Structure formats: structure tokens, C-alpha cells
Amino acid sequence: MACTLEKFIHSLDPRALPRVLQIQSGIYFQGLYKVVADKTPYISIEEITRKVAIGSTRFGHPCFYSSEDIKLANLTIKQGEQINFNSVEEVNGTMAVNCGVVRNNQSHSFTLPLSQEGTFYECEDDQIYTLKEIAEWKIPRCRNRIVKLSNTLHSWDSSNPLPDNFDGCLILTPVYEVQAVMKFRKDIVHILSDLDVEVKDITDCYDISSFLQPLSLEDVFERTTMEFPMVAEVMEGPLGRQKPYNLLHIGKEIVIYKKYQATRVLASEIRSDSPKRHFLIPMTYKGKFKRRPREFPTAYDLEIARSEREQLHVVATKAFDSPHAELFSVSVGDQFLVQQRQTSEVLYEGRKKVIDVLACEQILSDTYKEVLLPMYMEGGFVEVIHDKKQYQLSEICKEFRLPFNVKVSVRDLSIKEDVLAAVPGLQLEEEITDSYLLISSASSPVESWEIPVYRLNMSVHLLSKDVQAVLPPMTKTTVEEISEEEYYMVRRFENQTLHPPPRPPKKPAALAPKPVSTVSKQVISDVLQATKNFCVDTTKKSCANQAADVSELQVSCQNDLVHHDNVKDMTEKPTLVEAAVIKGLTNNPLGKWESEKEQEEEHNYEYVDENVIENIRKVFQDTTTRNKDILSEDRRDI
């Protein structure tokens, strides 16, 4: 019996594929999205399993809640409690759903029979999905789906089909695209489900083996290990000029040797503007890295970053006036060695109170001073690098805690074009594990390549040919540059068990730092000129015996101060003396100036004496003191 293609697609069970169809007659916008919970209830567990996709993948675990308590033999599911639906299977001869609830960080498992009736509502979902993922997993049968455009990639351009006053919500009515092959043809045709044609299912009376069987890389990866190696022909190839993607054109025969999980390091370009480039770096990368300074916005971040391997040395880039006499007030340019977290008693509204503090050693000209910084301190710090060693990627992952800032000092000579070598700075964010297939050309197996299973849109069909060489040739790994969307997809699932550290506690309103009085334009101008001259004179000195890698700080300060436009902007209105230094010291050390400089001197590392920062701070302190004396004399004259 003939029916419309749309009706056929909606009634089709994916587990019944492939099907043979006979024609009787007759762009979606990509992004990241969040789904809006369906307000229409389900009246039974059976209805949920019939209309909602439940499977073993990370997308197939929907969550619902009941409007009433559900009493089981050993457990009572409370009204409104989130129920995770994990799988559907037969339990003691009865079809049921394996479920779970989390209470007090403990998971409790149980089963609900399909015959269980009630009023069930979909829970809110804070994950982000692509439209492809929503179409495959998040649109119930015979229902529409409301989605909100995620702000993560909320960027519009002239080609965007959505109106200017778009409020972010869309109602999705799925139009599925079917990949099909025709008899006596090797290419794949794409048919939309709303195409105005009628079709008839003739699978039972037709020899399906006369058609080619296209397989995605996911389909190949699901094959058993014993089936590898295998020979396949590319039916749809990926786009890209980089090897091996430019070799995987339609009609190319390849050998697929094996499937496996491989480790990659997720890295992002360090830059102040966007968009940033993102990379997946294989552990076999043969380039070498040198460390770059890290930036820490709070004292709490210093505690997170400290390690037993070496003492964390930082320079303050923002002033902080402590509300407690027992705790230290920080000035711009102060240097600290981070010690450990501890507690301290402070006087608060006439009573003693215990708070979390960070014990540090302040570095003075000829000695060290023990100081305590409040953990809630919203300051700013930049790391001072003493380590000039060059590291392999595997060494960094073993010896240091990620995230970690680096720059390629020696490029990977085994790669014709090492894209990482041209990047001014990289933040190595985390290690991830992903699925790969190892392939080579069937006609000339000189080298083999790793290709990602879930990020490569490619279709093949298997050939009944024997593999000439069971062992793969020399494996070539590549640094994979991924899009911003792929970056968020990778990060979204890899570390679900690792929660971000809690934000530092906010200081009470009564403990807000006292405001610092403003100073005149002339004083600011004098300070800026003095600092400018000091910076220029200092950079002319020899740096042969320098011990601290704070060149980025000093150079950025000089860069801002020598530009008259910036000085003019800063002196147009009264401001804090410290603010002038903050602008120089907090300027991104991997910004425009350094990028342009490093194009000329790609791996020229400069180590500036760490007394530079101390002297800058003293210049400002001396000038501030001089200004106060002048003001005092003026008052006496009046």
C-alpha cells in the first residue's frame, strides 16, 4: 500500500533498516540549542517508551517526574522527583524501564513496568544540542519540540535566516533527510521526508543484496573487533585540504585496520579577542613547548593552581585594600610565593570570626614577609616563570595540572605544516578520550592515518576483498583543528563527573574595601611619565642574568604607556593612581603587540629582571606620598 514519504518516515522503526522503496508518484540552520521541557504530560510509562527515544548512548537517558508519589516495594518515588530513564528491557517476563533517582549524591536504581500509569512530565534539560541530535533523540513521535538558541554560539551574520527581533525560541517540526542508494548506482542520494511523492515498501519481495549497503563511520565502529581489518570504498567523503581528508574522495578504496580509543589534549588559542582557535593534539605530537604565564583572577584560583612540584610565584596586577588589620593589603607589583590554605581569626563587628585565608610569602628586596590573603579576595595575579625547560606534551600532562599555558618552542618536524607553531600561545585545557579508526590507502599503503569517528561525516561500503597487509604501515597522526561548535560538544561530555570549583565566598557588604581618594590630572601625568621613562630605561639594560620570566608584564606596560592616545584617555578624567598601573599590567600578555613581535622573532624568549615590577611599584608609592605632602602643604597655606 502506497503512502506519503513523510508518513512512512514517521512510522519507520530505525531497527528495521535497511528498507527498499519504490517511487509510486510524484537547510536547516546549524547551531547549539537548548530544549524546552514539554508541558504536555504522558499518561503511562508505555507511552513514554513509545514516543521518546531511550537508548544506551548519552542522549538516550531522558528524565521525567511524576505529579504523584509512586510507591514501590523498597522505595517511594516522591512527587516532582527527577527520574532518569536508562534502558528498556524484559524483567521477569515483563517489559520494564530501568530507572534511577539521585538522593544525597547517592544513586538508587529501580524498575517501572510499562503498565505503570500516572501523570509524567518531562524535566528541564540544561544541556546543549545540535539540531541533528535533537532530531534523532529529543523530538517525541507525533509531537513538536520547542528549543531555545543557546547563547554559547550566539553570533549572527548576513546569511542568518532568523529575523532581527528573534527572541531565541523556535518550534521544530522535523523534516527528515533520508540517505538512499539506487540500483546500479554507487552514489548516495538525499531525499527529504516532505517530498511530494508516494512510496511503497517492497522489501519482502525484493533482493536487498543487489543494493550497496552504505555505512557511516559510527556503523563501522560498531562492528566487532574480529571483523577488522576490512577493505571499503568511499561513497561520501569529508571536506578538507589536510591529509588524510583530501585523500578520502568518492570512489577511493581504503583499508580499515582497527578501531580503538585514543587520548587527545584539548587546547585553545590564548587571545583577548574572539573567535579563538581550538585544537585536539595527539599524545604522539613531537613538538616541544615552553611555559607561558598563567593569569589568576582571585586568591582562590591561586589555591587551586598551586602544586607540590614547585612553588607558585605571582605578581599582583590589581590593588586590594584589606578590611581586616590581620590580613594583608595588596599593591600593584607586589610579588608572592603561594604557600597553603588555612584559617585565621579576624575581628568582625566587634567579634572574632574564623575565615579561610591563603598563606603567602611576600618577596621584598632582601627578605621575605609572611602574609595572609583572604580567600574571597578579588584581585589579579600573573605567574612568574622561572622554568626555561622545553617539554614534550606527555611530560606536561604527567608533571603539571591542566589547564596549563604554553607556546611551541620547537615545531614537530614530522608534520609538513605544524599549525601549532604559528600560534602565539596555547592553553592546554584537558585530556579527552575519543573514538578513532586506523586507515590507509588500499592501492598504496605507505602510511596509515587516524580518523575521528564522531566528527567526520563520511560514508563507505565494504568490499569483499582480502587485505594484503594485516599490519598497518607507519601511523601518521595530525593536529586536528575543530570548530567552536565541536569544541563545546567535546567539553560537554568528557568531564561530566568533574564539577568546576566553587566560587570564592563573597565578602560581606560591611567589609567592602574603603575607597581611595582620587588625585589630580597632573599627578597622574607625572606618574605615567616616570613609569614610561623607567620602563624604557630598564629594557635597554642587559638581561643576561635575569631570573624571572615577566617580560610579558613589563612589555605590555611599556606598550600602553608609550602610546599617547592611551595616556590621553587615562588623563581625561580623575582616576586612581593604581588604575594607571593596572591598565599596563593587566594588558593581555599574549595580545596584539606580542603577536606582531613574535612574527619577527618566533621563538625569542626574553627574561626580564623581576626587580622591574618591584621598582615600578615603588615609583608609584613614592609619587603618591609626594602628592600627599603637597596637598598637606597647600592646606596649611590656606
Side-chain angles (χ1 to χ4, degrees):
M1 179 179 178
C3 64
T4 64
L5 179 62
E6 184 173 21
K7 185 176 180 180
F8 175 80
I9 295 298
H10 280 284
S11 64
L12 181 63
D13 185 351
R15 291 171 294 185
L17 293 174
R19 312 297 298 170
V20 181
L21 301 182
Q22 185 181 66
I23 304 297
Q24 300 293 299
S25 63
I27 290 193
Y28 64 80
F29 174 69
Q30 184 68 297
L32 292 175
Y33 295 84
K34 288 187 177 181
V35 299
V36 177
D38 193 347
K39 303 300 181 184
T40 305
Y42 295 82
I43 62 173
S44 68
I45 299 298
E46 187 273 335
E47 184 186 8
I48 294 177
T49 60
R50 183 163 38 88
K51 293 185 177 181
V52 178
I54 301 175
S56 58
T57 71
R58 56 200 177 208
F59 304 111
H61 298 157
C63 298
F64 293 85
Y65 67 89
S66 173
S67 61
E68 299 177 353
D69 290 353
I70 302 176
K71 295 183 179 180
L72 304 175
N74 301 320
L75 187 68
T76 298
I77 308 303
K78 299 177 182 178
Q79 172 188 353
E81 190 171 19
Q82 178 172 303
I83 306 172
N84 300 317
F85 284 49
N86 299 321
S87 63
V88 180
E89 58 185 66
E90 186 176 338
V91 179
N92 298 326
T94 303
M95 295 303 295
V97 179
N98 286 320
C99 304
V101 295
V102 177
R103 295 175 180 173
N104 300 323
N105 295 325
Q106 290 187 343
S107 180
H108 302 271
S109 300
F110 57 95
T111 60
L112 290 177
L114 300 193
S115 59
Q116 178 77 45
E117 294 183 347
T119 305
F120 300 93
Y121 292 89
E122 187 178 38
C123 295
E124 293 290 342
D125 187 349
D126 60 355
Q127 292 291 322
I128 54 176
Y129 303 94
T130 64
L131 284 181
K132 182 175 183 293
E133 293 166 350
I134 292 174
E136 291 178 349
W137 292 95
K138 297 301 176 182
I139 300 183
R141 291 189 180 183
C142 304
R143 293 193 183 191
N144 295 331
R145 166 63 77 187
I146 299 177
V147 299
K148 293 187 299 185
L149 187 65
S150 172
N151 291 328
T152 307
L153 294 178
H154 195 240
S155 58
W156 306 114
D157 53 38
S158 58
S159 63
N160 176 31
L162 301 176
D164 294 335
N165 59 350
F166 174 62
D167 64 356
C169 286
L170 294 170
I171 300 178
L172 300 183
T173 302
V175 176
Y176 294 99
E177 182 184 77
V178 179
Q179 289 186 343
V181 291
M182 297 184 180
K183 194 173 182 180
F184 309 119
R185 291 182 60 174
K186 289 186 176 182
D187 57 329
I188 295 177
V189 294
H190 300 266
I191 306 174
L192 296 178
S193 63
D194 62 349
L195 191 66
D196 188 16
V197 297
E198 288 188 343
V199 296
K200 183 179 179 182
D201 191 340
I202 59 171
T203 305
D204 295 337
C205 57
Y206 206 89
D207 182 13
I208 197 171
S209 62
S210 61
F211 289 88
L212 295 179
Q213 305 297 313
L215 301 173
S216 66
L217 295 186
E218 292 95 326
D219 296 329
V220 175
F221 193 81
E222 289 177 0
R223 296 283 178 125
T224 63
T225 305
M226 299 299 295
E227 296 180 68
F228 294 90
M230 59 183 68
V231 182
E233 181 180 343
V234 177
M235 297 185 70
E236 274 192 328
L239 300 176
R241 292 181 242 172
Q242 182 184 2
K243 283 187 176 181
Y245 306 137
N246 59 349
L247 304 177
L248 300 176
H249 50 79
I250 296 176
K252 178 73 174 180
E253 291 188 7
I254 60 173
V255 178
I256 306 176
Y257 291 95
K258 61 179 179 177
K259 64 174 185 177
Y260 53 91
Q261 301 285 319
T263 301
R264 294 289 189 270
V265 174
L266 179 64
S268 294
E269 184 180 20
I270 300 177
R271 56 187 301 170
S272 57
D273 56 342
S274 59
K276 298 179 180 179
R277 299 168 69 188
H278 307 285
F279 306 92
L280 287 174
I281 310 175
M283 298 303 291
T284 54
Y285 177 77
K286 296 181 176 61
K288 291 187 177 181
F289 299 94
K290 276 193 175 181
R291 298 173 61 177
R292 301 303 301 269
R294 292 172 288 178
E295 297 184 33
F296 308 100
T298 68
Y300 189 87
D301 294 296
L302 296 178
E303 158 65 15
I304 296 297
R306 72 181 184 87
S307 67
E308 300 298 328
R309 183 182 181 276
E310 62 179 359
Q311 202 161 30
L312 182 59
H313 179 187
V314 295
V315 177
T317 59
K318 186 177 179 181
F320 173 76
D321 187 15
S322 173
H324 304 292
E326 300 89 345
L327 305 182
F328 188 70
S329 292
V330 176
S331 299
V332 173
D334 283 347
Q335 297 191 59
F336 302 97
L337 296 177
V338 179
Q339 301 289 350
Q340 61 186 1
R341 180 176 185 166
Q342 61 187 55
T343 58
S344 176
E345 279 191 348
V346 297
L347 195 63
Y348 174 57
E349 294 182 349
R351 301 175 63 182
K352 288 186 177 182
K353 183 180 180 180
V354 177
I355 65 171
D356 290 332
V357 295
L358 186 65
C360 299
E361 284 186 329
Q362 183 190 12
I363 303 176
L364 303 176
S365 57
D366 56 355
T367 185
Y368 297 90
K369 178 183 177 182
E370 297 287 340
V371 298
L372 298 177
L373 304 180
M375 199 65 72
Y376 61 74
M377 171 185 171
E378 295 179 0
F381 303 91
V382 173
E383 183 180 23
V384 179
I385 302 295
H386 299 272
D387 185 2
K388 302 180 183 180
K389 181 181 175 181
Q390 299 182 101
Y391 292 91
Q392 297 281 359
L393 183 62
S394 56
E395 292 178 303
I396 293 176
C397 294
K398 181 180 179 181
E399 297 182 21
F400 301 98
R401 179 185 298 175
L402 302 183
F404 200 72
N405 291 0
V406 296
K407 183 192 184 323
V408 174
S409 56
V410 179
R411 73 178 186 87
D412 188 344
L413 299 178
S414 67
I415 304 175
K416 185 177 182 181
E417 249 182 76
D418 187 351
V419 294
L420 299 182
V423 179
L426 283 169
Q427 183 176 73
L428 306 179
E429 298 185 10
E430 61 182 306
E431 292 185 55
I432 69 165
T433 302
D434 210 350
S435 302
Y436 289 87
L437 294 172
L438 187 63
I439 69 165
S440 74
S441 169
S443 57
S444 55
V446 179
E447 52 195 13
S448 59
W449 301 85
E450 293 178 322
I451 58 173
V453 173
Y454 296 106
R455 290 188 306 279
L456 202 60
N457 188 16
M458 178 177 164
S459 296
V460 301
H461 74 93
L462 302 182
L463 303 177
S464 56
K465 291 185 177 181
D466 294 331
V467 179
Q468 299 297 326
V470 177
L471 294 178
M474 179 183 63
T475 302
K476 302 279 286 187
T477 55
T478 60
V479 176
E480 185 184 355
E481 183 170 353
I482 58 176
S483 67
E484 191 172 4
E485 181 180 353
E486 291 173 322
Y487 167 79
Y488 285 109
M489 293 301 105
V490 169
R491 295 216 70 181
R492 172 177 58 156
F493 299 114
E494 286 302 323
N495 281 338
Q496 289 185 339
T497 58
L498 299 180
H499 300 287
R503 294 174 62 87
K506 292 184 178 180
K507 53 178 176 277
L511 301 182
K514 300 177 181 178
V516 184
S517 59
T518 58
V519 294
S520 66
K521 297 180 183 179
Q522 183 60 44
V523 173
I524 295 176
S525 179
D526 292 343
V527 172
L528 292 172
Q529 186 61 39
T531 308
K532 170 186 171 183
N533 294 338
F534 178 80
C535 291
V536 173
D537 291 341
T538 305
T539 54
K540 293 180 181 179
K541 295 180 181 180
S542 171
C543 300
N545 298 320
Q546 296 149 350
D549 185 9
V550 291
S551 60
E552 290 81 4
L553 290 173
Q554 196 272 330
V555 170
S556 296
C557 179
Q558 177 186 346
N559 187 44
D560 275 352
L561 295 176
V562 298
H563 282 76
H564 298 292
D565 291 340
N566 290 356
V567 174
K568 181 180 178 182
D569 291 341
M570 295 170 63
T571 56
E572 283 297 326
K573 55 185 178 181
T575 183
L576 305 182
V577 173
E578 288 83 359
V581 185
I582 293 171
K583 177 172 176 58
L585 292 178
T586 58
N587 186 41
N588 192 336
L590 302 172
K592 179 179 179 182
W593 185 92
E594 187 179 19
S595 177
E596 294 174 351
K597 184 70 175 175
E598 290 186 355
Q599 289 179 2
E600 302 174 5
E601 301 175 6
E602 183 175 354
H603 303 303
N604 182 20
Y605 283 81
E606 182 183 10
Y607 293 83
V608 178
D609 193 278
E610 51 191 76
N611 290 327
V612 170
I613 300 298
E614 175 67 17
N615 291 332
I616 291 176
R617 185 178 66 83
K618 287 181 180 179
V619 169
F620 280 91
Q621 289 180 336
D622 293 344
T623 308
T624 305
T625 303
R626 180 165 57 87
N627 178 58
K628 290 180 179 178
D629 293 341
I630 294 173
L631 293 176
S632 299
E633 291 177 3
D634 290 343
R635 291 194 187 97
R636 286 197 298 269
D637 293 340
I638 293 174

